[in-house]
Amino acid sequence: MKQMDVTVIGGGPAGLAAAISACKNGAATLLVEREARLGGILKQCIHDGFGVVRFGEKLSGPEYAERFIDELEKTDCEVRTLTFVTAVKQRAGGFEVHLVSRDGVETVFSKTLVLATGCRERTAKQVAIHGTRPAGVFTAGTAQHFTNLLGELPTRKCVILGSGDIGLIMARRLTLEGAAVVGVYEAKSTPSGLTRNIHQCLHDYDIPLYLSHTVTRVFGEDRLTAVEVSQVDEHMRPLPGTEEIIDCDALILSVGLIPENELAETLGVELSPATKGPVCDGQMMSMADGIFSCGNALHVNDLVDYVSESGEAAGKYAAIYTGGQRQLLDVACTNDFLYVVPQKLNLSADNSETAVYFRSREIVNDCRLVLQIDGREVFSKKYRFLRPPEMEKLTIDFSKYDLHPDSEICLRLEVARV
């Protein structure tokens, strides 16, 4: 049985960064990817905007991935593409990872695991749209795959449900390819995508955005012929009498992403109800010793730069992991937040540069984030505005504070006093 120090599952931006980081920290590393090429979703993201935080320039998805692939090739990392993880079993001192590839079946023993499995899109079934089951209902990622990788235009006239970033980007992309985008319909009263994408993808191309609207029914037998759109109330329930039939040949769904954590669940890893990813400490380790998580498998990120950053941290800490008992302390937050990551601090580890990621629950202007330890304010930062679709990141030096096993850590938001 092949012996590895770190096995990274997933060869997207998080997995690439994790594998490079693990190798740089002296670990014998294996990177497993189920597709034929590394890069994950970046392979089909031909628009720019990647790498602004990390490299200070706008790159396309393939360009961003290529920089990490080139760096990975300079390491001793073993890479397996077209390889599937069929099972992982916990053993004394590590994990048995069962693989299936073109070369057959193989079992690898690894001291630690890094789960960089990314996320998946919600489908029409998960948003409960009534009607028949015609062809022409796509997730935004599938439409992107058809258009950018296969060179096939999946629609001539479409409706987009959901204002997530992929949907906004596809509204622009399909318009550039000659398709008519009737509009983007969003059930919430505020957009779900980044502000820059609202302007660059919709406003610049005169594509209308309809808030507090949703698709309630689809029509068509073999192929979609029309959709029914209705206004919704503050609880996102359709309002009778507001129905409108729109002729189209495709419905494109951009209704959210879900971290891919089926493998984590089989290993008994505790998942957060808020993020749908593993509960982790400041070293990106889940509540299962030796299992680390990063990227969109941990929580859905807006920017790939932060995905890579968390991958680097997970790879580093997986490489230097030596076991031992953890002293875990909860990182609590008020209802002002959708979530805060990490959810725990390990008092036995170095917490001097802990990356904290969070999303506000509502749109808040002129506010202040406050860190309290044992009821005492020890850190604060002002924000001009916070929006739920836009994740925020800050670095906190928790080593400065006198933390002990009974300490109480809490993050809260308050409207700045004038």
Side-chain angles (χ1 to χ4, degrees):
M1 190 184 300
K2 183 181 286 291
Q3 305 286 318
M4 307 301 298
D5 295 322
V6 179
T7 296
V8 180
I9 301 174
L16 287 168
I20 293 167
S21 179
C23 287
K24 286 183 176 179
N25 283 278
T29 306
L30 171 66
L31 175 60
V32 179
E33 168 57 46
R34 65 186 178 186
E35 295 188 7
R37 294 167 52 207
L38 298 173
I41 198 67
L42 292 178
K43 298 192 295 292
Q44 65 188 50
C45 299
I46 65 173
H47 55 278
D48 69 3
F50 301 92
V52 175
V53 175
R54 186 180 189 89
F55 298 113
E57 57 182 307
K58 293 182 179 180
L59 304 173
S60 69
E63 288 174 325
Y64 185 92
E66 194 65 31
R67 295 201 177 187
F68 284 86
I69 294 170
D70 290 344
E71 190 173 354
L72 181 70
E73 290 174 349
K74 298 174 184 176
T75 70
D76 295 327
C77 179
E78 289 192 37
V79 178
R80 308 283 178 83
T81 55
L82 286 175
T83 301
F84 292 80
V85 177
T86 57
V88 178
K89 299 178 181 178
Q90 193 155 9
R91 297 287 184 255
F95 305 88
E96 273 186 17
V97 184
H98 297 260
L99 308 174
V100 174
S101 67
R102 292 164 293 180
D103 298 324
V105 178
E106 182 184 6
T107 302
V108 174
F109 184 84
S110 182
K111 293 179 182 177
T112 59
L113 297 177
V114 177
L115 303 180
T117 47
C119 57
R120 66 177 185 272
E121 295 178 279
R122 284 190 175 91
T123 64
K125 185 176 180 181
Q126 291 171 302
V127 293
I129 298 175
H130 298 288
T132 54
R133 298 183 64 185
V137 180
F138 306 97
T139 64
T142 301
Q144 189 179 59
H145 178 83
F146 271 105
T147 307
N148 294 347
L149 289 185
L150 302 183
E152 300 285 349
L153 190 63
T155 177
R156 292 293 178 185
K157 182 180 182 182
C158 70
V159 165
I160 297 179
L161 175 61
S163 57
D165 289 309
I166 307 175
L168 300 177
I169 289 165
M170 284 311 298
R172 175 180 63 184
R173 184 78 179 97
L174 292 169
T175 300
L176 289 171
E177 289 298 327
V181 179
V182 177
V184 175
Y185 294 82
E186 170 59 58
K188 297 177 183 177
S189 59
T190 56
S192 298
L194 295 173
T195 302
R196 74 181 189 194
N197 285 332
I198 297 292
H199 288 277
Q200 294 174 3
C201 300
L202 299 188
H203 295 173
D204 290 355
Y205 291 86
D206 296 323
I207 299 170
L209 170 63
Y210 300 94
L211 299 175
S212 298
H213 283 72
T214 191
V215 173
T216 48
R217 188 176 297 273
V218 297
F219 301 94
E221 295 300 328
D222 295 332
R223 177 79 189 197
L224 185 77
T225 57
V227 298
E228 178 187 84
V229 174
S230 302
Q231 294 181 32
V232 299
D233 60 20
E234 62 272 18
H235 303 293
M236 293 191 285
R237 294 176 300 204
L239 294 171
T242 63
E243 300 87 354
E244 178 187 0
I245 305 298
I246 300 174
D247 293 331
C248 58
D249 65 6
L251 171 63
I252 296 175
L253 304 173
S254 180
V255 289
L257 302 170
I258 305 172
E260 190 79 71
N261 278 305
E262 280 76 7
L263 184 58
E265 289 183 285
T266 66
L267 290 165
V269 173
E270 180 186 352
L271 301 184
S272 163
T275 64
K276 305 297 189 293
V279 174
C280 72
D281 62 20
Q283 287 67 47
M284 319 304 286
M285 185 158 64
S286 71
M287 295 301 96
D289 291 346
I291 301 177
F292 297 78
S293 181
C294 57
N296 284 345
L298 180 61
H299 64 109
V300 177
N301 292 251
D302 305 328
L303 303 179
V304 72
D305 309 73
Y306 293 143
V307 168
S308 299
E309 183 182 82
S310 68
E312 286 177 331
K316 170 188 172 181
Y317 290 116
I320 64 177
Y321 177 68
T322 57
Q325 190 71 26
R326 286 187 284 177
Q327 278 190 305
L328 294 174
L329 194 61
D330 288 336
V331 178
C333 62
T334 62
N335 287 332
D336 302 312
F337 297 88
L338 280 173
Y339 68 78
V340 171
V341 173
Q343 298 91 345
K344 309 275 186 179
L345 281 184
N346 179 14
L347 299 185
S348 303
D350 178 13
N351 296 301
S352 59
E353 294 185 358
T354 303
V356 176
Y357 306 93
F358 69 91
R359 293 182 190 270
S360 63
R361 186 172 295 277
E362 298 176 349
I363 296 176
V364 185
N365 296 317
D366 295 323
C367 61
R368 194 168 71 106
L369 179 144
V370 176
L371 171 64
Q372 290 181 322
I373 296 180
D374 296 328
R376 181 172 54 91
E377 180 180 320
V378 296
F379 173 88
S380 68
K381 182 177 180 180
K382 293 181 179 180
Y383 291 90
R384 291 292 302 274
F385 66 91
L386 294 173
R387 296 180 63 236
E390 298 181 8
M391 188 192 76
E392 299 288 340
K393 177 232 173 181
L394 54 88
T395 302
I396 299 178
D397 182 0
F398 283 101
S399 66
K400 295 192 304 184
Y401 311 118
D402 184 22
L403 295 175
H404 51 83
D406 296 323
S407 292
E408 294 182 356
I409 301 174
C410 183
L411 287 166
R412 63 182 178 86
L413 288 176
E414 62 178 30
V415 177
R417 292 181 291 272
V418 179

